[in-house]
Amino acid sequence: TTPLFNPLNKTTCIMDAEKLLELEKAAVDLMSPPYAITEEARKKAERVFLGLKGTPMPYSACRTVLENSHSDYVQYQAASAILEAVMREWPLLVVEEKEKLWRFIVHFLTSRADLANYVREQLLHVLALMTKRASLDPCKSVFFSFFLDAVHKLLGMENIKMRLLSSFLVSAVLSEFSSSSSSSYMGLSFDFHLKSKKVFEAGELLKVLNLTVRVLQQYCSVEWSALSHHDLSLFTSFLKILSQILQWNFQHTNVRPWLFASPDTLSSPFKPPKSFSPVLLDPCFLQMLLRLLLRALEREEAVLELVLCLTQLASLSSPLLSTDSEQQTYLLEFISGILDYLSKRSDLSQQEVYGFSCVLRRLSATFPSQHFSHLPPSQLQLLIHTLTRLTCLSAQRAAVIARDSLDYPESLEHFLEVWVNILGGAESLPDAVCVGLLEVFHAYVQSKLCAPRGWRSLAGEGEEELLDVEEADSEAYADQLCSVGFIARLVPARTLPLLLNLLDKCTSDVLHVLSVVHLEPSAIGLHLKQLESLFEDVYWLLLVCGYSLCDIVQGEEVLIPTQLMQFSIQNQSNTFMDTSVVGALLREEGCGSIGEIPSISSLNLDPIVALVLAVCRLCVVEKAYVKAGLLEVWSPQVCETSVWFLSSVVEPYLMLNETSYEQVSLPLATTFGKGTEASKWLTLFVVEKVAFNLSVWYGEERVSLATIKLLCNLVKSPERARVAIMSDTLWSLMRQFSSDKQLACCLSPAVQRELMSGLVQCGVGEKKQLFYAELLQPLYQRFVNLVQRGDFAQSFQETGVQRSTLATLEALCGLAQTSCIDSIPDFFSFLLPVLQTSTHLIQLYCNDSEVTSVILQLFSLVAENYVIFLNETQTVQLYQVSLDLICTYARCNTGKYSQAALLAEEEQCEDLLLVMRLLSSLTSRDLFDFTEDSTSLHPADVVIAGVHTILPLMNEELLKYPSLSREFYTLLQYMCRFLPEKIAVLPDRLYQSCVCLLERGLENCNPSVPKLCLESVESLACHCFKTSPTENLSCSLKHFLKVLFELMLKSCLDMDLTQTAACTTFALICCQKECYASLVDELVGRVGGHLQPTLITAFGHLTPPSLTLDLSRASRAQFRKNLEEFLQTVKGLLCFR
């Protein structure tokens, strides 16, 4: 069927009544339900509109459609056709045509007040696009003038809909010029977007800001109740415009694609130029926003926009505020305005509390803490008082409102962060600040505790389901807890005793209730709710205690916080330091019965030591009652959190490194110092706790994993590890785990793996080799006994045998993932027979995805962690056994999933991903080994053989999985970059498969895949340029040159890839000069005669005679610049075929 508008036969389009009717009929067909129209009729209707959009110079025809059509959908399609034509044909239009089109659209919009919203928005989009496209043309002043004149004219009309239209036009233009995701994709370089944005900022943006402020000022004086719905909509629209301007990204240098993303209003600072100072630094501007906020409290949308505006003003910085005095003055004025507003509001709404938490959080993050300390004393005192009031209010309301409401919890988190920001650099704190901090800390603790200790209500029946969530509170509230811990360390003399007293009382209450239950088991139902509340209290107290005693950081040496060390030093003369208390509590004979477990708060110990011992006391209570048969009553969450606390405290405190501190307090050195009796007792207590938890809580995976992490943290220090390895309990645990398959099968796979990893890390000192021998030999014997049993080939699928196999393999994975560099050769010698046997195991378990996956993980972990540390012989052995495994896996799975369901595809995807990672890890030996390579088997041979083996398993559906496609194309890129000479001589079938996959990858939706494919083709082209290519490679590169030009000209490549595509294209041109010349002739021949000179000139600028077609850096850089200009010029000429 010939389309209605044939761009090959017409340069312009004339619309008559018959064609208009056909458009409207097509619209009816497209909007009809599926049962009312055939598929062929729907496709014909689609071709009608595609024909309209593909028509060159469709402006006259679209004008006729807009003026005469009664269908909103047809009008929308006409507006879309104009939009696409303007983007495509802008260089071909003369100024008079552009001006005529602008005037028509403005006239049409003002004369059609009843126009459908989506049609109006599309036409405004056209105006905004024209304004931006003209911004770098000589006629830019004309279109900027058109834009501002239209806005002023519309604002001056009495019709409220026209005034609303002015706000929509301003918003559309701002969105188009902003460096955000809302700006149009024009197929132009980022350099164009950046330059046009700078031009707009230089003059028009400030004019729009002044206009917006004048409009909003009118709403400060009018009677709010007299405003109509449309008036309020206009107010909200201009608020959004102001918010757009205040979120403007003024960054101009080193522009990257990430600048064209949605702005993050909580992290992007507001950095306007000096020219904005008359508006933004005027105190009346802030007062206007606060007055509007007070008047608009009933309008949620308006409040949100005003809060965003205030938040951005709070982040105002250089170049507008370039000196300390300017920053100090602005900070004082801003805080004064905010505090004045808050002082007049005795009953703040939820929106206000949340809004000002965002504003103050942003303010405190923007301005240095010393600026706050230099505020006038009266203002600083008022600020502290207000912050205390707001923080306590947020804490109290967060405790009593519904758990699914996030405003007050988030407000609390923000206010806590404000405290941290403004006090972060303070060396000494005034009394008023200390009082405020203590109130805030106490309020936070109360918000987490049940009555009578706190404000949290008992868990109701409707709330219980919400308690079982995937994300633990310790993770969800980590930021809050970090801030609360910081506050606690600022006033430790008050906060630590408070925590100790609460934790000790809660533990005593738990002890009392459990004693009753122990004596009267039938009374458990009466005390269940009370126990739940007590355990919840203990849980939160453990979290707060942990964050108070430790500065939870990742990737740094963990030390005792300076404030706590200084506090302990100052307080050491007032504390009791008899370490026998530690022994009495921790040694087994010190707790002969439950009733003899001593209380901690009654002793005059150092508060830090006392808190650690209070948690140990809780663990002793737990152990006593679990042994008494009350395991089902105790809370696994409390057990996990107590282990987390010990894990956090062990690193900085236990056997602390005194050389890391200028001075160490005597109580801490006596209790936790290296070589002291108390530190040894604590170390052995932790080992006992680990063994006890794994023997009792093995069914709770989270508890078990936390326990193993405690073990790993304990043995990180050689001093602690030497004490731990002397423990009979640790040896007993190790022997039981390595030899007792029943215990191993009770643990989850993740726990088995992590436990093995933790036990391996325990091997230190003189007993290291003996420890490893007793750990590994029974494990190996378990494996051998399992696979060499006479009936294994018949019984391997039985549940018990399969679980034993899995347990043993998981433990071996734990060994493989632990990097003890000095022991890796020995570990590999131990693992090699297992790996060789596993190639047969994977054949037996080819239908068991779980066992197959663990075997592949084992190989992948060995390759990842061991390969670069092995000697030459061991390396060849690893290469060979890995190839054997891959061949066996491929032989067992070829064709197996050709018609598989989605679930099976997912399983195969994960298996293939592990195979890819195995091959990628093997290549690291080639990348990191700088010695002369004399091995008989090279990593390159392994990779090529591996890819050849698994390629038949790949299909289009599997390559849709992002992780798998990324890993696969990474391997291909490695082959093309480091082994191009071997790629060129691959067997024909394998070579064609690789080329086909590279071509498909260029259009993959995963952003990293096209880049990998471009880099692969570039490597092959560079190899071809330097050597004599094979016929296959030469033909492929000619094909890629054509494909790449098609993709770039049709805008099918992501703009992020422009630089990579330019390098690849240039390499292809260098090695295929004749093909490039014929491609140019072909592309020129596609367009009409009147466009050919333009296209010929563009190609002449792309590869001018002055450009040397070699692979030098200078030539590449020049071609990249030429290509950007070329694409800007020619995309519009070649797009409407």
Side-chain angles (χ1 to χ4, degrees):
T1 304
T2 302
L4 181 61
F5 304 104
N6 190 341
L8 299 180
N9 299 331
K10 298 181 180 181
T11 58
T12 59
C13 176
I14 300 174
M15 180 66 60
D16 55 27
E18 181 180 350
K19 293 176 180 177
L20 181 59
L21 287 173
E22 187 169 355
L23 282 172
E24 295 192 339
K25 181 181 182 305
V28 171
D29 290 344
L30 281 177
M31 304 300 287
S32 298
Y35 60 81
I37 186 174
T38 64
E39 185 66 23
E40 182 57 34
R42 187 179 297 277
K43 289 181 179 179
K44 181 180 178 181
E46 290 174 353
R47 287 195 294 269
V48 169
F49 288 111
L50 289 175
L52 174 63
K53 290 183 178 180
T55 303
M57 304 294 179
Y59 311 106
S60 178
C62 291
R63 173 175 180 169
T64 303
V65 172
L66 288 169
E67 291 178 332
N68 297 285
S69 177
H70 299 290
S71 168
D72 294 340
Y73 184 77
V74 173
Q75 289 180 323
Y76 174 79
Q77 291 293 341
S80 300
I82 294 175
L83 180 68
E84 293 187 17
V86 167
M87 285 194 289
R88 185 178 63 226
E89 300 168 351
W90 185 263
L92 308 179
L93 296 173
V94 297
V95 176
E96 290 76 12
E97 291 174 323
K98 298 171 184 176
E99 293 178 3
K100 183 179 178 182
L101 178 60
W102 174 281
R103 291 192 184 96
F104 161 71
I105 294 175
V106 172
H107 173 73
F108 182 75
L109 287 169
T110 54
S111 61
R112 296 291 187 91
D114 58 342
L115 201 62
N117 288 339
Y118 67 102
V119 179
R120 182 198 65 220
E121 289 176 5
Q122 194 73 341
L123 289 172
L124 290 173
H125 193 178
V126 175
L127 295 179
L129 184 72
M130 292 177 69
T131 306
K132 183 172 183 177
R133 203 64 175 83
S135 61
L136 299 185
D137 292 349
C139 62
K140 65 180 180 182
S141 59
V142 174
F143 281 89
F144 283 151
S145 176
F146 281 173
F147 160 59
L148 292 174
D149 288 347
V151 173
H152 283 102
K153 180 181 177 182
L154 291 168
L155 275 175
M157 293 183 178
E158 293 185 3
N159 189 336
I160 185 61
K161 290 187 177 181
M162 292 299 104
R163 298 206 296 274
L164 274 170
L165 184 62
S166 70
S167 68
F168 298 152
L169 175 57
V170 172
S171 182
V173 171
L174 287 177
S175 297
E176 201 57 65
F177 276 97
S178 66
S179 54
S180 70
S181 55
S182 56
S183 55
S184 296
Y185 176 82
M186 299 182 182
L188 301 177
S189 68
F190 285 109
D191 186 59
F192 168 84
H193 291 278
L194 179 62
K195 288 179 178 178
S196 65
K197 177 172 170 284
K198 290 176 67 176
V199 168
F200 184 73
E201 291 169 1
E204 313 314 309
L205 184 60
L206 183 57
K207 295 175 183 177
V208 173
L209 175 60
N210 282 313
L211 172 69
T212 305
V213 171
R214 287 198 298 273
V215 172
L216 291 175
Q217 281 175 338
Q218 299 171 11
Y219 288 89
C220 292
S221 55
V222 298
E223 184 62 35
W224 200 261
S225 60
L227 295 176
S228 66
H229 172 73
H230 289 301
D231 287 325
L232 292 174
S233 297
L234 181 64
F235 167 69
T236 305
S237 295
F238 272 98
L239 271 183
K240 290 180 178 179
I241 291 170
L242 181 61
S243 179
Q244 275 184 283
I245 297 173
L246 294 181
Q247 294 177 64
W248 196 269
N249 186 350
F250 285 92
Q251 186 172 348
H252 297 146
T253 57
N254 297 324
V255 67
R256 290 291 183 269
W258 58 264
L259 287 178
F260 290 78
S262 299
D264 181 357
T265 58
L266 293 180
S267 62
S268 302
F270 186 41
K271 297 183 176 182
K274 286 282 189 181
S275 57
F276 281 65
S277 58
V279 179
L280 300 179
L281 297 185
D282 185 352
C284 296
F285 182 57
L286 176 62
Q287 294 303 322
M288 179 195 75
L289 293 178
L290 292 172
R291 283 199 299 271
L292 291 175
L293 177 61
L294 192 59
R295 297 169 69 92
L297 285 176
E298 300 300 323
R299 293 185 62 83
E300 184 175 346
E301 189 177 10
V303 171
L304 175 61
E305 297 300 333
L306 283 163
V307 167
L308 284 175
C309 292
L310 290 169
T311 303
Q312 284 302 100
L313 283 179
S315 71
L316 194 63
S317 54
S318 61
L320 207 60
L321 303 175
S322 54
T323 66
D324 285 347
S325 61
E326 290 175 342
Q327 293 177 10
Q328 190 74 50
T329 301
Y330 180 78
L331 177 63
L332 177 58
E333 291 178 352
F334 192 91
I335 285 181
S336 298
I338 297 296
L339 294 179
D340 181 62
Y341 177 95
L342 291 171
S343 65
K344 298 175 183 177
R345 296 281 298 153
S346 58
D347 187 18
L348 292 170
S349 67
Q350 183 170 328
Q351 278 188 305
E352 286 177 290
V353 173
Y354 178 76
F356 282 106
S357 74
C358 295
V359 173
L360 292 173
R361 174 196 184 201
R362 191 66 178 279
L363 189 73
S364 66
T366 302
F367 292 88
S369 58
Q370 58 264 29
H371 284 354
F372 288 90
S373 61
H374 292 158
L375 290 171
S378 59
Q379 286 296 99
L380 180 59
Q381 187 171 356
L382 181 58
L383 174 62
I384 295 299
H385 173 76
T386 305
L387 261 181
T388 303
R389 168 195 163 203
L390 292 175
T391 310
C392 295
L393 176 68
S394 300
Q396 186 171 11
R397 293 185 179 176
V400 298
I401 63 173
R403 291 179 66 107
D404 57 349
S405 177
L406 297 178
D407 277 356
Y408 281 119
E410 289 186 11
S411 301
L412 176 60
E413 185 173 314
H414 293 169
F415 285 127
L416 291 171
E417 190 175 331
V418 174
W419 284 101
V420 173
N421 289 337
I422 67 175
L423 300 177
E427 296 182 0
S428 61
L429 301 175
D431 292 340
V433 175
C434 293
V435 171
L437 286 171
L438 187 60
E439 283 187 43
V440 166
F441 182 81
H442 197 188
Y444 184 84
V445 173
Q446 283 182 296
S447 71
K448 301 302 180 185
L449 303 182
C450 290
R453 298 183 183 91
W455 301 319
R456 182 171 54 85
S457 57
L458 295 176
E461 295 182 359
E463 199 177 359
E464 289 178 357
E465 296 180 1
L466 296 173
L467 298 177
D468 187 18
V469 292
E470 291 184 4
E471 187 179 26
D473 288 332
S474 57
E475 299 168 0
Y477 295 95
D479 292 338
Q480 279 188 20
L481 290 165
C482 280
S483 300
V484 169
F486 174 83
I487 291 172
R489 292 192 293 273
L490 291 178
V491 282
R494 303 291 297 276
T495 55
L496 298 188
L498 173 65
L499 288 175
L500 175 61
N501 185 51
L502 288 171
L503 182 58
D504 219 25
K505 285 184 177 179
C506 284
T507 304
S508 297
D509 289 348
V510 170
L511 190 60
H512 171 71
V513 175
L514 289 180
S515 300
V516 174
V517 172
H518 181 56
L519 295 174
E520 298 180 45
S522 59
I524 187 172
L526 301 175
H527 299 281
L528 195 56
K529 285 292 181 184
Q530 184 183 2
L531 270 178
E532 287 179 4
S533 297
L534 283 172
F535 282 136
E536 185 76 4
D537 287 355
V538 172
Y539 166 67
W540 279 106
L541 286 172
L542 287 171
L543 288 176
V544 176
C545 289
Y547 277 91
S548 298
L549 293 187
C550 307
D551 193 2
I552 309 294
V553 293
Q554 299 292 333
E556 300 179 16
E557 182 184 4
V558 184
L559 299 175
I560 299 173
T562 305
Q563 304 98 321
L564 296 186
M565 183 63 79
Q566 292 301 319
F567 164 70
S568 184
I569 291 172
Q570 295 168 5
N571 197 49
Q572 61 187 11
S573 60
N574 302 320
T575 56
F576 177 67
M577 293 181 292
D578 185 358
T579 56
S580 62
V581 175
V582 181
L585 176 66
L586 302 182
R587 285 178 299 175
E588 188 173 348
E589 61 269 18
C591 302
S593 66
I594 295 173
E596 295 177 13
I597 299 175
S599 174
I600 303 298
S601 58
S602 60
L603 305 174
N604 188 26
L605 297 174
D606 179 278
I608 299 171
V609 175
L611 267 179
V612 175
L613 294 182
V615 177
C616 293
R617 177 191 181 223
L618 178 68
C619 296
V620 171
V621 171
E622 173 197 343
K623 183 176 182 180
Y625 277 102
V626 168
K627 285 184 175 180
L630 295 179
L631 174 64
E632 295 181 358
V633 178
W634 196 269
S635 166
Q637 187 183 47
V638 168
C639 179
E640 178 193 349
T641 313
S642 62
V643 168
W644 168 85
F645 174 90
L646 292 174
S647 182
S648 302
V649 166
V650 155
E651 279 197 80
Y653 287 92
L654 188 54
M655 298 194 184
L656 57 91
N657 185 4
E658 297 186 15
T659 60
S660 299
Y661 308 92
E662 293 182 3
Q663 188 178 1
V664 178
S665 84
L666 188 57
L668 297 186
T670 305
T671 308
F672 302 117
K674 295 177 183 177
T676 64
E677 286 298 314
S679 66
K680 292 179 182 178
W681 288 331
L682 281 167
T683 302
L684 297 176
F685 175 82
V686 171
V687 174
E688 293 283 345
K689 176 64 175 172
V690 169
F692 174 75
N693 275 11
L694 291 176
S695 65
V696 171
W697 295 104
Y698 53 81
E700 295 285 343
E701 185 175 284
R702 292 176 63 96
V703 176
S704 299
L705 289 175
T707 302
I708 295 168
K709 184 178 180 181
L710 170 60
L711 176 64
C712 294
N713 284 350
L714 180 70
V715 298
K716 273 184 182 179
S717 161
E719 290 81 8
R720 295 194 299 262
R722 290 190 186 97
V723 175
I725 205 171
M726 301 299 292
S727 168
D728 292 339
T729 303
L730 181 63
W731 285 78
S732 174
L733 173 65
M734 176 266 293
R735 291 173 181 136
Q736 190 177 11
F737 174 72
S738 61
S739 60
D740 185 354
K741 62 182 181 181
Q742 291 184 349
L743 170 65
C745 290
C746 291
L747 302 173
S748 71
V751 173
Q752 294 169 29
R753 185 176 301 193
E754 295 302 321
L755 179 55
M756 183 64 184
S757 177
L759 289 172
V760 170
Q761 294 176 51
C762 293
V764 294
E766 299 176 355
K767 295 190 176 183
K768 175 180 177 180
Q769 296 303 324
L770 177 61
F771 187 85
Y772 282 160
E774 295 206 23
L775 173 65
L776 300 182
Q777 286 304 323
L779 184 63
Y780 178 71
Q781 197 59 47
R782 266 174 54 194
F783 181 79
V784 170
N785 293 342
L786 190 66
V787 298
Q788 292 185 358
R789 55 187 288 183
D791 62 341
F792 183 71
Q794 292 77 35
S795 63
F796 70 93
Q797 290 182 323
E798 294 178 3
T799 302
V801 176
Q802 191 255 13
R803 290 184 64 184
S804 297
T805 305
L806 268 177
T808 307
L809 290 171
E810 287 287 355
L812 293 169
C813 285
L815 173 63
Q817 76 181 19
T818 308
S819 298
C820 299
I821 296 176
D822 57 338
S823 301
I824 280 180
D826 295 334
F827 287 170
F828 180 77
S829 299
F830 165 79
L831 284 170
L832 182 60
V834 176
L835 297 177
Q836 292 168 337
T837 306
S838 296
T839 59
H840 305 293
L841 271 183
I842 203 169
Q843 185 172 2
L844 276 178
Y845 284 102
C846 60
N847 294 318
D848 189 322
S849 59
E850 195 173 3
V851 176
T852 299
S853 177
V854 176
I855 293 173
L856 292 172
Q857 288 176 50
L858 174 61
F859 274 78
S860 181
L861 287 168
V862 171
E864 180 182 348
N865 296 314
Y866 286 15
V867 67
I868 62 176
F869 301 107
L870 301 179
N871 59 38
E872 186 177 320
T873 303
Q874 290 176 322
T875 302
V876 174
Q877 291 172 333
L878 179 58
Y879 289 163
Q880 189 60 59
V881 74
S882 298
L883 267 183
D884 292 344
L885 175 85
I886 293 171
C887 292
T888 303
Y889 173 81
R891 186 170 60 252
C892 295
N893 290 277
T894 299
K896 179 178 178 181
Y897 296 100
S898 58
Q899 301 295 326
L902 179 61
L903 177 61
E905 283 182 352
E906 288 177 350
E907 292 173 353
Q908 190 188 22
C909 170
E910 293 181 5
D911 291 348
L912 285 172
L913 183 60
L914 290 169
V915 174
M916 301 290 180
R917 287 177 179 164
L918 169 59
L919 290 171
S920 296
S921 298
L922 294 176
T923 63
S924 62
R925 173 78 179 193
D926 192 30
L927 298 177
F928 290 99
D929 187 4
F930 301 104
T931 60
E932 292 186 8
D933 188 11
S934 58
T935 57
S936 58
L937 193 59
H938 193 270
D941 303 318
V942 179
V943 172
I944 290 178
V947 171
H948 189 188
T949 304
I950 64 173
L951 205 56
L953 303 178
M954 307 297 292
N955 57 53
E956 289 189 26
E957 292 302 315
L958 287 173
L959 284 175
K960 290 179 181 177
Y961 292 93
S963 55
L964 180 61
S965 63
R966 182 171 57 251
E967 201 72 41
F968 177 74
Y969 282 105
T970 299
L971 273 178
L972 278 186
Q973 191 258 3
Y974 168 84
M975 292 166 60
C976 294
R977 182 178 180 183
F978 295 103
L979 316 167
E981 69 285 351
K982 298 196 176 187
I983 292 288
V985 295
L986 286 175
D988 188 62
R989 184 176 178 182
L990 177 59
Y991 176 81
Q992 293 301 331
S993 297
C994 291
V995 169
C996 181
L997 288 168
L998 283 175
E999 184 176 352
R1000 289 181 186 174
L1002 290 173
E1003 299 187 63
N1004 194 291
C1005 58
N1006 187 341
S1008 60
V1009 169
K1011 185 174 187 294
L1012 290 168
C1013 293
L1014 288 170
E1015 291 171 347
S1016 302
V1017 175
E1018 181 188 0
S1019 299
L1020 294 175
C1022 292
H1023 172 72
C1024 178
F1025 180 78
K1026 297 172 184 176
T1027 60
S1028 299
T1030 62
E1031 183 178 351
N1032 265 352
L1033 181 58
S1034 181
C1035 291
S1036 300
L1037 294 178
K1038 291 177 184 177
H1039 176 67
F1040 275 119
L1041 181 61
K1042 295 179 181 178
V1043 169
L1044 196 50
F1045 260 98
E1046 291 285 341
L1047 291 175
M1048 288 190 297
L1049 293 174
K1050 292 179 179 179
S1051 301
C1052 295
L1053 274 181
D1054 194 312
M1055 291 184 70
D1056 297 2
L1057 299 175
T1058 301
Q1059 299 289 325
T1060 308
C1063 294
T1064 304
T1065 304
F1066 185 65
L1068 288 169
I1069 291 174
C1070 289
C1071 69
Q1072 298 293 335
K1073 300 180 182 67
E1074 295 179 0
C1075 177
Y1076 171 67
S1078 62
L1079 177 62
V1080 171
D1081 293 339
E1082 179 185 340
L1083 292 173
V1084 170
R1086 290 185 188 179
V1087 300
H1090 65 292
L1091 298 178
Q1092 286 184 353
T1094 305
L1095 194 56
I1096 292 172
T1097 303
F1099 273 110
H1101 291 156
L1102 177 63
T1103 51
S1106 59
L1107 178 65
T1108 306
L1109 295 181
D1110 58 22
L1111 298 176
S1112 65
R1113 180 173 300 194
S1115 298
R1116 289 171 186 256
Q1118 182 60 43
F1119 181 79
R1120 282 199 299 268
K1121 182 178 178 182
N1122 294 349
L1123 182 64
E1124 286 194 2
E1125 297 173 355
F1126 169 80
L1127 292 176
Q1128 290 181 30
T1129 304
V1130 305
K1131 276 186 177 180
L1133 307 181
L1134 301 176
C1135 279
F1136 44 81
R1137 276 191 69 226

